[in-house]
Amino acid sequence: MKPQVSRRNFLRTAALSGAALSSPAILSAAASAPREETGKPLPIKLGIASYTFREFNRSQMIGYLKQIHVSDLNAKDVKDHLPTDPTQEAQAVADYAAAGIKLHAAGAIYFPKDEDDDIRSKFEYCRRAGIKVIVAGDPSPASLPRVEKFVKEYDIRIAIHNHGPEDKLWQSPLDILKLIKNMDPRIGCCIDVGHTARAGTDVVEAIHEVGPRLFNMHMKDLADMKVKESQVAVGQGKMPVREIFEALIATKYAGFVDLEYEIHGDDPMPGVIESFAYMRGVLTGLGYANHA
């Protein structure tokens, strides 16, 4: 029998979430209180996609990240989160460093042109920020050899993002894997669990299939696994979160699981807080210490 989520630890996490909803001051007091650290160290790193806070500026987003005790960000050129202008980008990187926030990926970044200058500009953008994973939205199969050239030059990994049944190229991570399996090992996948499920691909099986070429993951939940508009907070829908985490642990996934909460853009925090509480609770139930 699989171990169940510890009710006490899960409810404690939920209580902290409720405190965050009511008052940042209460959250800070609760977070600083002595806590029991039990279980093995976390094998999965939780982060967040800045697209979640697309309606908010960088300063506001940093405040929200502090509330939910998340310090790892997958940044995007939206609002002023990570501008492509070098001077503005440098200021953003400095602001994140001052706040203790680490940039581990950027995207989705799009590659509409099979041209050196356009592709190089995207790699330069990430190099300046110290980012080692580009979540790529739509590189065409024809452009992949050129992209591969820059992967080798910059030693920056490309994680191609699948976009579900609406995508003409990359519906499922398995579609990506077919075309990249013989390319440089730094070209891989960003599995979006929602889009993967809607494409009719079993997310857990996809994780095992992609294996060492999985460089980033976008986490979300769906009330209906075929309907994009049915997104809910993680834990409210049908996404097999526990089984997904077990698969990531089994395959020794070293990247981040980034929450990408695409609904309630003007008020995302309730859903964000609930999602992290659930994911942390699942990890606690699997026997891992919750240091968040």
Side-chain angles (χ1 to χ4, degrees):
M1 179 180 295
K2 294 181 180 179
Q4 298 299 310
V5 174
S6 163
R7 178 174 175 80
R8 183 180 66 173
N9 287 336
F10 185 84
L11 291 179
R12 183 181 187 281
T13 306
L16 286 178
S17 301
L21 280 169
S22 60
S23 167
I26 294 175
L27 175 62
S28 297
S32 63
R35 65 180 65 188
E36 180 184 6
E37 296 292 1
T38 60
K40 299 164 286 187
L42 284 176
I44 291 176
K45 298 177 288 188
L46 299 178
I48 193 164
S50 83
Y51 184 73
T52 299
F53 299 108
R54 59 197 173 277
E55 301 296 334
F56 299 88
N57 63 34
R58 182 168 67 244
S59 177
Q60 292 170 313
M61 179 173 64
I62 288 172
Y64 289 142
L65 295 181
K66 288 183 177 296
Q67 287 186 39
I68 56 175
H69 299 286
V70 172
S71 60
D72 296 287
L73 185 66
N74 184 335
K76 184 176 175 66
D77 178 24
V78 60
K79 285 287 186 181
D80 60 350
H81 295 180
L82 192 65
T84 55
D85 175 82
T87 301
Q88 296 176 18
E89 182 184 17
Q91 183 60 58
V93 171
D95 289 347
Y96 291 131
I101 294 170
K102 299 177 287 295
L103 303 177
H104 62 267
I109 293 175
Y110 293 90
F111 292 82
K113 301 176 182 179
D114 185 11
E115 298 175 359
D116 279 3
D117 289 347
D118 184 70
I119 295 173
R120 183 180 295 280
S121 70
K122 313 298 171 60
F123 279 84
E124 282 289 329
Y125 168 64
C126 290
R127 182 195 60 78
R128 291 192 300 263
I131 289 170
K132 300 299 289 184
V133 176
I134 294 175
V135 177
D138 66 344
S140 69
S143 71
L144 286 179
R146 192 183 301 269
V147 170
E148 182 179 33
K149 179 180 72 171
F150 287 98
V151 165
K152 293 175 179 178
E153 178 181 342
Y154 283 82
D155 190 24
I156 292 176
R157 290 183 290 178
I158 285 283
I160 301 174
H161 186 296
N162 65 295
H163 277 106
E166 302 86 3
D167 196 317
K168 295 179 180 179
L169 293 174
W170 315 116
Q171 297 186 6
S172 160
L174 303 185
D175 297 323
I176 299 167
L177 193 60
K178 291 175 186 176
L179 289 180
I180 65 171
K181 61 184 179 181
N182 295 321
M183 301 189 78
D184 189 283
R186 288 166 290 191
I187 298 178
C189 300
C190 170
I191 292 181
D192 183 297
V193 300
H195 295 326
T196 298
R198 291 191 308 103
T201 298
D202 184 284
V203 178
V204 173
E205 290 182 7
I207 291 169
H208 285 283
E209 285 286 331
V210 174
R213 286 191 185 262
L214 179 57
F215 301 150
N216 191 241
M217 172 166 281
H218 284 179
M219 176 60 73
K220 58 191 59 163
D221 204 346
L222 300 172
D224 185 326
M225 297 288 266
K226 294 293 184 183
V227 180
K228 182 178 182 180
E229 293 75 20
S230 74
Q231 187 178 156
V232 291
V234 176
Q236 285 190 1
K238 297 181 178 180
M239 193 63 61
V241 179
R242 181 193 180 95
E243 290 78 7
I244 287 171
F245 283 177
E246 288 175 330
L248 293 173
I249 294 166
T251 56
K252 296 180 171 56
Y253 174 60
F256 282 84
V257 175
D258 291 325
L259 176 69
E260 186 179 41
Y261 191 66
E262 297 176 308
I263 56 176
H264 308 304
D266 60 343
D267 185 25
M269 279 298 279
V272 167
I273 290 168
E274 184 173 350
S275 297
F276 274 101
Y278 184 83
M279 290 189 290
R280 288 164 175 162
V282 169
L283 289 169
T284 299
L286 288 171
Y288 297 96
N290 180 11
H291 296 279

